[in-house]
Amino acid sequence: MMKRSFMPSFRTKEELEALQLEGLKWTVKHAYDGSPFYRQRLDEAGVKPSDIRTLADLKRLPFVTAQDLQAQYPWPLRAVPFDRIVRLHASTGTTGRRKVLVYTEKDIDDWADMFARCYEMAALTREDRVQICVGYGVWTAGVGFQLGCERFGALAIPAGPGNIDMQIQFLEDFQTTVLGCTASMALLLAEEVEKRGLRDRIGVKKVIFGAERSSEAMGARIKELLGAEHAFDIPGLTEVYGPGTGLDCVHHRGIHYWADYYILEILDPETLEPVPEGEVGEMVYTTLRKEAAPLIRYRSRDLTRLLPGDCPCGSPLPRHDKIVGRSDDMFIVRGVNIYPSHIDELLSRQKGVGSEYQIHLSHQEDGKDYMVVKVEREPGGDPSTDGALSRKIEKDLRKETLVSAAVEIVNYQGLPRTERKSRRVFDHRQY
Ligand code: ZN
């Protein structure tokens, strides 16, 4: 069969910018004509679709936030009549109303192409067998992995989450080559494969983590236990179709993102001005061809930085770094802003610890904040070194975060495993 490519046709920055300008003009006009919400916002900002002449005009457009989506529940940002809408998805949002996003047939088609591009970026072939162990349902994870897999032409195994015995049986019987799952689920599966001594009887080469960021230590551990060659983190959000907004290539030098489908701005969350190149800021999305619920300067709260220069793979698709956290995940200890990803990254550089950890925050009797980090000892590690290890981590934490924390080393597998997202931060403070 002829190999079909899902990579973009542009080769240069100029070609990309021409595509983006065309998409931006279309999106603003489409949103203005089709959505009373956008029309009102644009009128308030004094911008007409015809005012968009260059990409620099993007900064004249007003922002959209998650609160805007929740306020318009159940049909936020809808810009086409219902007879053109073929599907809805909702985010698993834990607080307040769910974010509901609608899709036209073309939106679903575009999403399939975007996700198929992820598999191509990860250098899969049509011979690959992708075991999809994420949730199916109203959220976007399972259906996204599957849609992209079938569009790409690999074999989808829609296993869904949970049921470890069945998952292990599938790995062995179907000779799964690619796992699509949360990092927590992958660790659970990998440890089970290890426990049952099945590593030589399975054929997993690649793991694509969705819905949850993995730490480097966790990714390395999973690869080692499964005998896999590559681990990828798939970014995405329901507001921008779902998972599959980009992927790192096999060189793992950051995430190539699909700049022909959306414009990504990295802005200072306080001033809403662009951060200097290479600095961390909030990811703000403007879609270029999304019909049913277009996004204009949508503030995602996710934090990352753009990566300058070219990737060794030669792709013209620009890159952003791993998502380092959400501005909402940040917690404050003794006046210092801390992102769980920072602790995560610091721990993954330590020798002698495993991949699992928890952060506990409490108040001391004097009302001061108190932080305890529980970390697992590495498998087969020697408990007699715990004292030295915890002192070393405490020192590093103090140096890098400016906050004193107590570090407790616990037994390997002493912290709970879950098939879904692991909870890392436990705030016991009384306010
Ligand atoms: Zn690359």
Side-chain angles (χ1 to χ4, degrees), residues 49 107 114 153 206 258 308 362 424:
D107 292 335
M114 289 167 75
K206 290 168 184 166
W258 309 160
S362 58
R424 309 283 194 198

Side-chain angles (χ1 to χ4, degrees), residues 153-199:
L155 170 63
I157 305 169
N163 203 341
I164 296 294
D165 283 331
M166 182 190 79
Q167 304 283 1
I168 299 281
Q169 191 190 348
F170 284 3
L171 288 180
E172 206 181 337
D173 293 354
F174 301 148
Q175 287 296 299
T176 300
T177 58
V178 179
L179 270 180
C181 51
T182 61
S184 307
M185 175 71 172
L187 182 64
L188 211 64
L189 273 177
E191 287 178 343
E192 197 60 29
V193 163
E194 161 92 346
K195 206 166 88 189
R196 299 188 192 188
L198 293 175
R199 193 181 128 165

Side-chain angles (χ1 to χ4, degrees), residues 249 256 311 313:
C249 66
H256 290 283
C311 183
C313 74

Side-chain angles (χ1 to χ4, degrees), residues 121 248-254 256 311-315 317 319:
M121 192 54 90
D248 41 339
C249 66
V250 293
H251 297 277
H252 305 292
R253 305 273 183 93
H256 290 283
C311 183
C313 74
S315 169
L317 287 160
R319 289 167 302 143

Side-chain angles (χ1 to χ4, degrees), residues 1 110 135 208 273 298 311 382 391 406 412 423 427:
M1 189 164 199
D110 284 343
I208 302 176
E273 291 295 324
Y298 177 67
C311 183
D382 176 4
R391 280 192 298 277
Y412 176 60
R423 188 170 165 214
D427 197 339

Side-chain angles (χ1 to χ4, degrees), residues 110-119 141 144-145 148-149 234 243-244 258:
D110 284 343
W111 184 25
D113 283 344
M114 289 167 75
F115 211 126
R117 185 186 285 175
C118 295
Y119 291 121
F145 267 94
C149 183
I234 201 160
W258 309 160

